[in-house]
């Protein structure tokens, strides 16, 4: 084994991802190589620093004002393409638990957080597929139901993802319209108190919720509300199975 | 899988190498290699940001 190869194995060794033989080999190397012996402490220090606040970049307070001022200067025509570029994803959630209106807030936060995480990790879908006949059975196999996974006009299906939200599994068929992407999640049974679309905003994301056929849906997006409503109506128009 | 994903998935999402390989559809060896190379890069970037020498 070359020195470079040994060095590359130190990181997985510290993550306890190596088998016994490889671990013994790395342990022996660490006792004889002063340069590599420094790596465990460095990795430990990195692990401690990464989740901390020291690396979070807070935008200057003036940024929001300057963006709003620029949008006002450009006028309404220029806003649409800007939002079109920024628009990244909508998550539609089907809930299998009973959520009363007052309990929506933590759920909404979790939905947005899950959506943001999926973007940070550049992992919008677990199953990348534009084929409804693949995505629907994929959901049914992992979940006791599947939300509509139709390929809507302007919102092509890109796949599905399962998230664990509020300790309830949720599923996300993804439907991206060019240039934006859309996604769909599901969890819980119907909240019968709902009527029509329920609107929320959180951290700059638009959310629309509704219930139908025993399922509660949430759409999450950084598109504008009108576009998101169009998407929601398309989902609602799908005939019940 | 890029270096950013290589750091995010284990450090922030808590995924094991096997889970990362499944999620990214990459071989396990690729996952190991990417993470081994990504960590020193992140360390250097942090030290540079703090104005320290590695």
């Amino acid at each position: 084994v070359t020195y470079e190869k040994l060095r590359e194995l130190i990181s997985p060794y510290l993550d306890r991802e190596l088998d016994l033989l490889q671990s013994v080999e790395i342990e022996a190397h660490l006792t004889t190589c002063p340069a590599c012996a420094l790596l465990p402490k460095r990795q430990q220090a990195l692990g401690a620093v990464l989740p901390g606040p020291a690396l979070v970049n807070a935008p200057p307070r003036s940024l929001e004002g300057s963006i709003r001022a620029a949008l006002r200067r450009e006028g309404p025509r220029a806003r649409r393409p800007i939002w079109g570029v920024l628009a990244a994803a909508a998550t539609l959630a089907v809930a299998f638990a009973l959520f009363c209106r007052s309990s929506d807030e933590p759920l909404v936060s979790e939905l947005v957080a899950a959506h943001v995480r999926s973007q940070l990790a550049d992992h919008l879908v677990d199953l990348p597929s534009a084929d409804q006949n693949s995505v629907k059975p994929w959901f049914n196999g992992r979940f006791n139901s599947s939300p509509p996974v139709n390929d809507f006009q302007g919102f092509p299906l890109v796949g599905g993802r399962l998230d664990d939200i509020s300790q309830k599994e949720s599923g996300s068929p993804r439907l991206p319209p060019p240039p934006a992407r859309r996604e769909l999640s599901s969890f819980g049974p119907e909240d019968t108190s709902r009527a029509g679309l329920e609107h929320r905003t959180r951290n700059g994301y638009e959310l629309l919720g509704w219930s139908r056929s025993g399922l509660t849906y949430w759409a999450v997006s950084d598109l504008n509300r009108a576009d998101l409503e169009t998407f929601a109506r398309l989902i609602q128009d799908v005939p019940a199975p | 899988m890029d270096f950013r994903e290589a750091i995010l998935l284990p450090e922030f999402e808590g995924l094991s190498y096997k889970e990362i390989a499944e999620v990214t559809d990459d071989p396990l060896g690729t996952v190991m290699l990417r993470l081994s190379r990504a960590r020193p890069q992140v360390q250097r970037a942090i030290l540079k940001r703090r104005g320290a020498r590695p």
Side-chain angles (χ1 to χ4, degrees):
Chain A
V1 181
T2 65
Y3 173 75
E4 285 304 318
K5 182 67 181 170
L6 278 172
R7 203 172 165 86
E8 283 169 359
L9 289 175
I10 291 173
S11 194
Y13 162 74
L14 295 170
D15 288 330
R16 301 176 186 274
E17 294 278 356
L18 295 184
D19 61 32
L20 181 62
L21 281 177
Q22 285 178 312
S23 297
V24 169
E25 200 170 4
I26 295 300
E27 281 168 12
H29 177 68
L30 289 176
T31 59
T32 58
C33 177
C36 289
L38 296 172
L39 296 180
K41 277 193 175 175
R42 285 188 188 169
Q43 182 164 323
Q44 195 177 14
L46 179 67
V49 167
L50 281 178
L55 298 180
V56 176
N57 277 318
R61 291 191 173 195
S62 59
L63 181 63
E64 183 180 349
S66 60
I67 290 174
R68 290 188 183 283
L71 286 171
R72 278 196 295 273
R73 281 197 301 275
E74 295 290 341
R77 277 193 182 178
R79 289 185 195 180
R80 184 163 282 275
I82 289 172
W83 282 109
V85 172
L86 290 178
T91 302
L92 210 68
V94 190
F96 282 109
L98 205 70
F99 297 109
C100 61
R101 284 174 194 276
S102 60
S103 69
D104 277 349
E105 294 309 315
L107 171 69
V108 163
S109 296
E110 287 193 53
L111 282 171
V112 172
H115 175 59
V116 171
R117 277 200 304 275
S118 76
Q119 291 179 299
L120 283 175
D122 196 19
H123 181 66
L124 275 173
V125 290
D126 294 328
L127 174 73
S129 172
D131 182 4
Q132 301 166 42
N133 295 323
S134 299
V135 177
K136 197 170 183 67
W138 183 82
F139 272 113
N140 283 329
R142 286 161 177 76
F143 210 42
N144 55 0
S145 182
S146 170
V149 291
N150 301 48
D151 208 4
F152 300 108
Q153 179 70 34
F155 304 95
L157 179 69
V158 290
R161 193 186 81 230
L162 283 170
D163 281 323
D164 190 26
I165 294 172
S166 280
Q167 300 175 329
K168 297 163 192 66
E169 216 170 33
S170 77
S172 311
R174 301 310 168 97
L175 307 153
R181 293 175 298 184
R182 301 278 165 106
E183 56 193 80
L184 198 66
S185 306
S186 59
F187 41 107
E190 184 169 19
D191 175 356
T192 52
S193 66
R194 291 180 193 287
L197 293 174
E198 193 158 329
H199 177 245
R200 296 275 197 286
T201 57
R202 182 65 51 88
N203 300 338
Y205 289 90
E206 296 282 337
L207 293 98
L208 290 173
W210 70 96
S211 295
R212 185 189 168 206
S213 301
L215 299 176
T216 299
Y217 294 75
W218 279 98
V220 184
S221 177
D222 48 7
L223 295 174
N224 63 46
R225 184 176 172 179
D227 285 348
L228 193 57
E229 279 193 15
T230 302
F231 177 63
R233 298 296 180 201
L234 286 168
I235 299 277
Q236 288 183 316
D237 287 344
V238 175
Chain B
M1 181 178 64
D2 58 19
F3 280 1
R4 187 176 69 153
E5 204 173 23
I7 287 288
L8 285 174
L9 292 177
E11 296 287 356
F12 291 87
E13 299 291 334
L15 266 59
S16 69
Y17 286 20
K18 187 167 175 285
E19 288 168 330
I20 296 170
E22 286 172 3
V23 165
T24 60
D25 202 23
D26 283 316
L28 201 57
T30 303
V31 174
M32 277 190 192
L33 193 60
R34 286 270 163 80
L35 190 51
S36 292
R37 292 180 179 176
R39 278 183 170 137
Q41 285 198 17
V42 174
Q43 285 164 345
R44 281 194 291 274
I46 292 173
L47 291 171
K48 189 178 173 186
R49 178 184 165 131
R50 291 179 172 176
R53 295 175 67 85

